[in-house]
């Protein structure tokens, strides 16, 4: 493994522009269950019942009760994987993060340039007047919560069946097409269009480094370097190797 860590460190050090694509796996060590791992969120909640926009319109109270139960999202803290990417950004070795996560942990770890591809569940949006507020600023005493305009508030994450925020979609495409290295961390790469970003980068000539303890849809056909390890372990090791090379 050390050899792979050192190759990743050398590749990151010499890259012209590095972008990271992250998924639920990077937050697993913060206590937030992933979606598709055994015992994951989609084992606990049927996504057809809780994660489509149709399901929200059908019964917003039911979706909000799930959100209220999902305490991990509110209490979770960043882990060494998140802090490692923030540190790479500070070192000028990471240009931006494209995240599928809605947990705000990259920002909490100090990352400044984070593209929220699937929105952010720590905010709410009124489906009538489009007002956006931090989750903490609304009462969840009665569910669903309503806006002063009479509209219903929805968590500001992207539900299945909703479009990706256009600024996030176009900017992610631009960054993928102009990078020469993409770090793909903690995603099963089965949900599109996010899962297409590594292919866009690869076809533009970028190298692909995958960090994931398990095999994914990308491992065999797209990844140039595969680090089958947890992000919270691999990323700090890569940073230590970068510093060792520089010293
Ligand atoms: N470090 C790195 N990767 C990990 C770790 C870890 N500690 N623990 C698990 N993983 C990997 C798993 O092996 C798996 O490949 O993280 C991946 C999690 O995959 P999913 O649960 O499918 O999550 P993700 O790829 O982010 O899902 C994409 O699907 O449900 C929707 O909108 C939701 O953004 C989400 C999208």
């Amino acid at each position: 493994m050390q050899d792979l860590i050192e190759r990743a460190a050398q590749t990151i050090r010499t890259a012209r522009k590095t972008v990271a694509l992250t998924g639920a796996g990077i937050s697993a060590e913060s206590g937030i269950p992933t979606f598709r791992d055994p015992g994951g969120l989609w084992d606990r909640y049927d996504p057809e019942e809780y994660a489509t926009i149709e399901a929200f319109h059908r019964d917003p109270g039911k979706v909000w009760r799930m959100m209220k139960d999902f305490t991990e999202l509110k209490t979770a803290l960043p882990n060494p994987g998140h802090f490692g990417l923030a540190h790479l950004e500070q070192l000028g070795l990471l240009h931006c993060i494209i995240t599928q996560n809605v947990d705000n942990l990259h920002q909490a770890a100090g990352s400044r340039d984070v593209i929220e591809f699937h929105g952010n569940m720590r905010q709410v949006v009124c489906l009538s007047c489009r007002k956006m507020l931090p989750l903490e600023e609304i009462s969840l005493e009665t569910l669903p919560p309503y806006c002063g305009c009479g509209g219903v508030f929805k968590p500001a994450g992207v539900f299945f069946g909703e479009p990706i925020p256009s600024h996030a979609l176009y900017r992610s495409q631009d960054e993928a097409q102009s990078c020469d290295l993409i770090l793909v961390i903690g995603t099963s790469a089965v949900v599109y269009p996010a899962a297409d970003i590594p292919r866009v980068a690869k076809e533009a000539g970028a190298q692909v480094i995958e960090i994931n303890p398990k095999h994914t849809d990308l491992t065999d056909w797209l990844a140039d370097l595969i680090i089958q390890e947890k992000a919270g372990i691999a990323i700090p090791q890569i940073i230590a190797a970068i510093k060792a090379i520089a010293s």
Side-chain angles (χ1 to χ4, degrees):
M1 177 63 79
Q2 189 52 28
D3 166 49
L4 295 172
I5 295 286
E6 281 161 12
R7 282 173 54 197
Q10 189 57 27
T11 307
I12 293 171
R13 266 188 87 243
T14 54
R16 172 185 51 75
K17 177 177 176 177
T18 300
V19 165
L21 172 70
T22 65
I26 197 168
S27 296
E29 294 152 88
S30 295
I32 299 183
T34 64
F35 296 94
R36 294 173 186 81
D37 284 310
L41 211 61
W42 296 155
D43 271 1
R44 281 159 56 181
Y45 300 99
D46 176 353
E48 291 300 323
E49 289 293 313
Y50 291 95
T52 67
I53 191 62
E54 293 79 20
F56 186 83
H57 287 311
R58 204 167 44 235
D59 188 346
K62 179 178 177 178
V63 175
W64 270 110
R65 282 189 289 282
M66 181 266 270
M67 284 289 301
K68 204 172 176 189
D69 292 349
F70 192 18
T71 50
E72 298 98 323
L73 195 64
K74 289 191 216 90
T75 55
L77 297 172
N79 67 60
H82 299 105
F83 287 116
L85 292 185
H87 192 41
L88 280 178
E89 185 183 42
Q90 280 156 16
L91 293 171
L93 294 172
L94 181 61
H95 177 75
C96 70
I97 297 170
I98 303 166
T99 189
Q100 298 170 83
N101 300 345
V102 293
D103 55 32
N104 212 53
L105 291 180
H106 286 302
Q107 295 92 328
S111 287
R112 289 183 306 242
D113 197 347
V114 179
I115 303 172
E116 295 181 309
F117 205 79
H118 291 157
N120 188 318
M121 287 290 194
R122 295 220 179 170
Q123 295 170 349
V124 297
V125 59
C126 169
L127 291 184
S128 300
C129 71
R130 309 309 299 177
K131 180 195 282 186
M132 289 198 72
L133 287 173
L135 184 60
E136 300 78 54
E137 287 186 20
I138 66 162
S139 158
L140 296 180
E141 282 309 303
T142 54
L143 297 175
Y146 285 91
C147 171
C149 79
V152 65
F153 276 125
K154 181 185 82 69
V158 175
F159 283 55
F160 289 113
E162 285 191 295
I164 301 297
S166 53
H167 66 276
L169 185 64
Y170 297 131
R171 180 144 181 244
S172 299
Q173 295 282 339
D174 287 353
E175 300 296 359
Q177 278 160 351
S178 60
C179 72
D180 62 343
L181 174 61
I182 187 163
L183 310 176
V184 181
I185 307 167
T187 181
S188 60
V190 296
V191 174
Y192 287 76
D196 199 42
I197 292 169
R199 180 195 59 78
V200 170
K202 181 92 174 184
E203 287 191 1
Q207 292 189 73
V208 178
I209 296 179
E210 185 178 46
I211 300 175
N212 192 314
K214 290 193 190 139
H215 187 282
T216 75
D217 279 13
L218 299 181
T219 309
D220 294 338
W221 69 281
L222 211 66
D224 299 294
L225 188 57
I226 300 146
I227 297 181
Q228 292 205 316
E229 180 56 276
K230 293 180 173 180
I233 295 172
I235 296 173
Q237 288 178 345
I238 291 170
I239 291 173
I242 287 172
K243 292 190 170 169
I245 298 168
S247 63

